[in-house]
Amino acid sequence: MADIRILVLGSGMVAAPWVEYLLRNEKNHVTIACRTLSTAQTVAPGLPRVRAIALDVSLTTELDSQIASHDLIISFVPYVYHASVIKLAIKYKVNVVTTSYLSDAIRELDTPAKEAGVVVLNEVGVDPGVNHLYAIKKIGEVHAKGGLIKEFYSYCGGLPAPERADNPLGFKFSWSPRGALLSQFNSAHFLSRGKQVKLSNKDLMGVAKPYFVLDGYNFVAYPNRNSLPFQEFYGIPEADTVIRGSLRYKGNPKAIGAEDSSENALVSRVKELCQFPNRAESERILSGLRWIGLFSSEQATVREDNLLDTLCAQLEKELSYQPGERDLVILQHKFVIEWHDGKKETFTSTLELYGEPEGYSGMAKSAGVTCGIASQLLLDGYEALNTPGVLAPYKKEICDPVRELLEKEGIKMVEELV
């Protein structure tokens, strides 16, 4: 059978496990395309059937020719570029896979994709991705037994392992700093006790509360993004509470905005927003911001001529993992179930995945392998994943085969009655 040519756009921080998984099939040949050739070359050095190229996805002519010459596109570029990538893929009738949440811009391409016979598969990372696989599993099992999901909570965090949460912020980046920062600008919309609640992005960390997941951790949880559609996506119209959000170690600070860039102005704004419970907590957070250089008068290294990417460059320098350090992916669903006899039970489903000190991070493994499995099932012609149009893993027919193969890779959410 003919070789399969796969184009990976953007190396991200999760691409390597995906590449390794796809190369298990000897028909697959992978092209890794990044803005700089040196970055692309670091993703999978020494692996067979891999080539690296320099490609700027903002340059349509270059992108056009590369998409036209491949059989599958995997987009790890920032989500703002996904729609333009997908439009070109539809033009050349090439399937696309992303690990990102569906955006309105992608949803609008559903009809053109269907007309072209193109599959646009999204949300096959960890969050989104693994979270869907196990939510759909448990909800389906409960409904099959006549039960109702009255409350659903889902929280996820990509964090340093506790022994490596050794900076004043208790945080390091296991995925794109730009993506992590942008996520802090999402507002939250969720269902709580039958009422819709909407919070602006500036209020999110202000509602963060201690949240127990497993013994030995000290997390806070806060809602993010829009949880309301998942009442429909997950098929739980009976639920009066649906909340999805993020986990951080206690003390992780929120974003700020100040009148000017002087240390006094920044410190005053932090104190105004954070309302610290005591002087010790105030000093801890301020020392963290000072430690990463946000109060420094030193000239910053400007990146991409904008403040966001310049800040990302500084954070990458100060909040990156060092050799031998490991990260932690922590993901938990909580289901409050009402059975037909009126009895209520609470189940949790939890993923606790540590990175390998000299290998892949937990984030790279959980997101990359999940994407790799879904991509290979698509290439293999698995029916549920080969339905033209814009797809996400919200149905049993898609989730089950991905989850079963993921568990063979040692990635599994563990269920418990609490």
Side-chain angles (χ1 to χ4, degrees):
M1 185 176 288
D3 292 339
I4 303 296
R5 299 160 299 174
I6 306 169
L7 175 64
V8 183
L9 297 174
S11 64
M13 298 174 77
V14 301
W18 176 91
V19 172
E20 187 175 280
Y21 187 90
L22 267 291
L23 289 177
R24 297 179 191 180
N25 187 315
E26 294 186 355
K27 294 184 299 182
N28 293 337
H29 292 249
V30 177
T31 301
I32 300 171
C34 300
R35 188 169 50 192
T36 62
L37 180 61
S38 59
T39 301
Q41 290 171 332
T42 63
V43 174
L47 291 180
R49 307 188 308 283
V50 176
R51 71 184 182 107
I53 64 170
L55 176 65
D56 187 338
V57 294
S58 67
L59 301 177
T60 304
T61 302
E62 293 183 21
L63 184 61
D64 187 290
S65 62
Q66 288 297 329
I67 288 178
S69 62
H70 286 81
D71 304 304
L72 176 68
I73 311 301
I74 312 296
S75 184
F76 287 129
V77 296
Y79 71 91
V80 294
Y81 294 110
H82 285 328
S84 59
V85 169
I86 293 167
K87 287 176 183 177
L88 287 174
I90 290 172
K91 173 182 176 182
Y92 292 108
K93 301 185 184 301
V94 180
N95 294 335
V96 184
V97 178
T98 85
T99 58
S100 299
Y101 277 103
L102 282 173
S103 65
D104 290 340
I106 294 178
R107 292 182 190 279
E108 290 173 359
L109 298 174
D110 182 52
T111 298
K114 287 177 178 175
E115 291 173 348
V118 169
V119 176
V120 181
L121 178 62
N122 305 271
E123 303 191 15
V124 285
V126 56
D127 180 3
V130 177
N131 55 348
H132 299 328
L133 307 182
Y134 285 86
I136 294 297
K137 173 182 179 291
K138 185 61 181 178
I139 290 167
E141 291 171 350
V142 170
H143 284 170
K145 295 178 181 178
L148 300 174
I149 304 293
K150 300 303 293 181
E151 300 174 37
F152 174 77
Y153 307 85
S154 179
Y155 293 101
C156 184
L159 302 163
E163 76 275 8
R164 293 304 179 187
D166 51 8
N167 62 56
L169 300 182
F171 188 79
K172 295 179 181 179
F173 290 103
S174 57
W175 60 298
S176 163
R178 198 176 202 279
L181 288 177
L182 287 173
S183 72
Q184 297 298 307
F185 289 92
N186 292 319
S187 59
H189 200 181
F190 56 91
L191 187 67
S192 179
R193 298 182 179 181
K195 295 182 178 180
Q196 292 188 20
V197 179
K198 194 166 188 177
L199 296 174
S200 67
N201 53 16
K202 66 182 180 66
D203 295 325
L204 292 186
M205 292 304 293
V207 301
K209 295 181 179 179
Y211 193 84
F212 177 80
V213 177
L214 294 170
D215 289 333
Y217 297 109
N218 190 10
F219 295 126
V220 295
Y222 60 94
N224 66 16
R225 297 183 181 270
N226 188 358
S227 299
L228 296 181
F230 288 88
Q231 188 178 33
E232 177 185 350
F233 296 159
Y234 288 170
I236 47 174
E238 71 273 20
D240 58 23
T241 296
V242 179
I243 302 176
R244 303 169 72 253
S246 297
L247 293 171
R248 296 289 183 264
Y249 288 125
K250 186 178 180 181
N252 185 233
K254 56 184 173 182
I256 67 170
E259 294 181 358
D260 60 60
S261 61
S262 69
E263 179 166 342
N264 285 339
L266 290 168
V267 168
S268 295
R269 182 60 172 159
V270 170
K271 289 181 176 180
E272 177 186 342
L273 287 173
C274 293
Q275 300 178 348
F276 297 111
N278 52 58
R279 183 182 179 86
E281 183 69 358
S282 172
E283 287 304 313
R284 190 186 74 80
I285 295 300
L286 292 173
S287 68
L289 297 178
R290 190 175 290 111
W291 177 78
I292 62 175
L294 293 190
F295 299 156
S296 173
S297 59
E298 181 181 341
Q299 186 70 30
T301 300
V302 178
R303 179 191 285 181
E304 300 298 322
D305 294 323
N306 67 73
L307 290 173
L308 177 60
D309 287 305
T310 298
L311 176 58
C312 288
Q314 179 69 15
L315 296 177
E316 286 173 2
K317 181 172 72 172
E318 301 294 347
L319 297 177
S320 294
Y321 287 88
Q322 301 304 308
E325 295 185 341
R326 61 179 187 160
D327 71 325
L328 166 68
V329 174
I330 192 82
L331 166 63
Q332 186 180 79
H333 297 323
K334 183 182 292 182
F335 309 86
V336 178
I337 299 165
E338 183 178 291
W339 299 107
H340 57 81
D341 61 359
K343 179 182 177 181
K344 284 193 173 183
E345 290 182 322
T346 300
F347 284 83
T348 58
S349 185
T350 307
L351 173 68
E352 180 189 27
L353 182 67
Y354 281 97
E356 303 163 8
E358 302 299 334
Y360 293 136
S361 69
M363 181 63 71
K365 186 175 181 181
S366 56
V369 173
T370 305
C371 182
I373 290 170
S375 300
Q376 190 60 60
L377 287 169
L378 176 59
L379 289 170
D380 290 343
Y382 188 83
E383 184 177 358
L385 279 81
N386 275 269
T387 302
V390 173
L391 304 180
Y394 303 152
K395 296 182 178 180
K396 174 182 172 65
E397 292 77 14
I398 294 178
C399 292
D400 282 2
V402 177
R403 190 190 70 252
E404 290 165 5
L405 290 171
L406 191 64
E407 291 181 356
K408 292 181 180 179
E409 301 296 321
I411 301 172
K412 180 180 181 180
M413 295 184 74
V414 177
E415 187 177 297
E416 183 179 6
L417 172 64
V418 298

